[in-house]
Amino acid sequence: MHETIKHESMFTAIADIQRRKILNILKRSEMSVAEIKSHFEFSGATLSHHLNILKNAELVRVRRQGQQRIYTLNLSVVEELLLIFNQIFVSKEDEK
């Protein structure tokens, strides 16, 4: 994936507060869809939509375990995102 497109999809993914909550939940441990759903009051379809956006942005990984889909943070991409933020804010601080 082209880096600019990848970064845009990452920023789009984290722009939504519900998706940021999902990432925050997944930082504790990997979870099934049902376990993630237990933290929210919205529909399964809405959760699926949010998880697909996070997956397409490569912020989460999914694997099958029997009938379940297990989600986990993609730490290498999350670290990349943190580096981008660090570059943005550190360079602004350095300009002062």
Side-chain angles (χ1 to χ4, degrees):
M1 183 183 288
H2 188 273
E3 285 300 311
T4 302
I5 295 170
K6 180 179 172 185
H7 291 157
E8 287 175 12
S9 68
M10 286 191 320
F11 289 122
T12 299
I14 64 169
D16 183 272
I17 191 166
Q18 300 303 330
R19 291 191 289 269
R20 291 194 307 268
K21 286 180 183 179
I22 292 169
L23 293 173
N24 194 42
I25 291 165
L26 289 174
K27 77 179 183 184
R28 297 178 212 147
S29 67
E30 65 180 19
M31 292 187 178
S32 70
V33 174
E35 291 170 319
I36 297 167
K37 173 83 173 81
S38 72
H39 294 271
F40 298 95
E41 294 184 13
F42 48 70
S43 72
T46 299
L47 177 59
S48 179
H49 172 74
H50 287 307
L51 290 171
N52 279 328
I53 290 172
L54 292 170
K55 185 174 74 171
N56 290 337
E58 300 179 6
L59 290 167
V60 298
R61 292 182 183 164
V62 61
R63 66 180 169 80
R64 285 216 174 262
Q65 182 174 317
Q67 296 292 323
Q68 295 184 336
R69 286 173 293 153
I70 307 297
Y71 283 83
T72 187
L73 278 181
N74 184 350
L75 291 177
S76 61
V77 174
V78 172
E79 288 172 352
E80 179 182 344
L81 188 59
L82 290 172
L83 286 172
I84 292 167
F85 282 125
N86 188 42
Q87 290 170 350
I88 291 169
F89 294 111
V90 168
S91 64
K92 289 194 182 267
E93 290 296 317
D94 291 343
E95 293 173 5
K96 290 181 181 180

